[in-house]
Every structure is written in C-alpha cells, then in structure tokens.
Amino acid sequence: MKPSQKINPKHNNQVRIIGGTHRGRKLNFIHADGLRPTPDSVRERLFNWLGQDLTGQNVLDLFAGSGALGFEAASRHAKQVVMCETNREMTRQLQHLSRELGFSGRLHIHPQDGLAYLKQSAQKFDTVFLDPPFAWQNWTDLWTILQPCLQENASVYIEAGRLPDTPDWLYKHREGGAGQSYFALFYYE
C-alpha cells in the first residue's frame, strides 16, 4: 500500500451514498491530506433542503475530494455532474468509481483547479457544491468567476471551517454546523 493510500481511522476511507438509485452503496477513496468528506448526516440535511430529486439539473462539485456530493447528486438523477479535483490519484479513483456506478455518460471529472475550470467554462449550473480544503481562502476570486456560471435561482452550497463573506447576489436559505464545519445553502438572485 502506498503511503498516500493509508487508511484514515476517522472515516475508514469510505462514504455511503444516502439516497437515489445507488442508495446504500459504499464508495472507497484514497487517503489525501486535508480530505474530509461531508458526513452522511450533513449530506442528508443538504439533500432535504435541495429536495430529494435533482432530475434535469446541471450540478458542479468544484472541490470534489472523495466525490461524496457529486456522486450523491448523480444518484439523485442529476442530468449532468461536473467534478473538479487537483489530486491526480483522487481523480483516477473518481473516474474508476464513475465507471463502476454507471455514471460515465453524465458525470464528468476534470483533473484541474476548480477556478481554472470556471474561467474557461461556458456552462451554467443549477446546483453548485463548494466544499474546499479548510486552508483555502480564495473566495473573492471565486465569487467573480462563479456568478456568470449560475442559472437563475441556482442553489449554492458552502461547507467550510468558517463560512466566508458572500456577495449580495447570494441569499442565505438555511445553515447549520457539524463538528468543525459550518455549512449553508444559498440561492442565486
């Protein structure tokens, strides 16, 4: 086993899809420094807020990590899910899981920085997941390049060690906390 693939005893390098067509399916992922998958209880609350069915939606998971949020959206019938991840080993694992789950046609994994992806993307998204590493603080630049990529009334989910200041075009709908994370769902106005 490579050092980067050591098991993290806290979450045993596994997440479970909690709803949709692949409900109960366990997904294994490699260990990566700073990786902290969104817990089941938080994902359950988030998808209760979003509604259980994402049929027809274009979804962006800008900091994919374990892929828990993106795979959850695909399981809940999202039309298309785009995941961005900079860790090459994690990207390979996400691609493997996408094929294994049968999501290859509608789940697209980009092995690049999320901001770089947004700068070159002409696509508009209905739902966006923003769950960057705790140390990441480039929110001001993100807001500038994210806004043109949002559909009217898009949902924007943020999970962080401390919720960032948000622009006035994002309206906070719900918020909560779990452990060291805070999370909130916003709507684009």
Side-chain angles (χ1 to χ4, degrees):
M1 184 177 287
K2 295 179 184 177
S4 63
Q5 294 177 315
K6 289 180 184 172
I7 291 177
N8 183 328
K10 182 175 180 181
H11 48 66
N12 204 28
N13 291 31
Q14 196 173 71
V15 293
R16 179 177 58 90
I17 295 177
I18 58 171
T21 59
H22 290 70
R23 180 181 183 178
R25 181 72 185 262
K26 292 183 180 176
L27 307 176
N28 296 310
F29 58 91
I30 62 170
H31 172 73
D33 290 335
L35 180 65
R36 36 168 198 80
T38 302
D40 288 3
S41 61
V42 174
R43 277 184 285 122
E44 185 171 1
R45 187 182 303 181
L46 167 61
F47 283 92
N48 283 337
W49 292 346
L50 290 171
Q52 298 298 319
D53 188 0
L54 301 182
T55 297
Q57 290 194 20
N58 289 318
V59 176
L60 173 63
D61 188 352
L62 200 62
F63 306 91
S66 70
L69 294 171
F71 288 125
E72 193 76 49
S75 179
R76 293 165 187 263
H77 309 287
K79 178 172 123 182
Q80 177 179 253
V81 178
V82 173
M83 296 174 153
C84 295
E85 176 54 50
T86 57
N87 181 306
R88 296 289 183 190
E89 286 181 78
M90 189 66 68
T91 298
R92 283 191 289 278
Q93 180 67 16
L94 294 172
Q95 290 166 338
H96 169 76
L97 289 170
S98 177
R99 285 188 302 273
E100 187 177 289
L101 296 168
F103 292 149
S104 295
R106 58 192 173 100
L107 199 145
H108 309 281
I109 299 157
H110 296 270
Q112 70 184 111
D113 176 74
L115 273 63
Y117 170 80
L118 284 174
K119 286 178 184 175
Q120 54 88 32
S121 177
Q123 188 166 358
K124 298 247 184 204
F125 295 96
D126 303 292
T127 300
V128 176
F129 301 127
L130 304 174
D131 182 9
F134 270 10
W136 191 86
Q137 294 297 318
N138 203 2
W139 296 101
T140 303
D141 289 345
L142 173 59
W143 301 138
T144 303
I145 57 178
L146 177 63
Q147 186 178 16
C149 296
L150 297 174
Q151 290 283 15
E152 188 175 329
N153 300 314
S155 300
V156 177
Y157 171 76
I158 301 171
E159 185 176 335
R162 184 177 77 75
L163 290 175
D165 293 332
T166 54
D168 58 7
W169 44 264
L170 284 177
Y171 167 76
K172 189 185 294 181
H173 175 63
R174 301 260 172 98
E175 66 182 308
Q180 297 178 3
S181 293
Y182 295 92
F183 50 90
L185 181 65
F186 295 83
Y187 290 125
Y188 172 55
E189 295 187 330

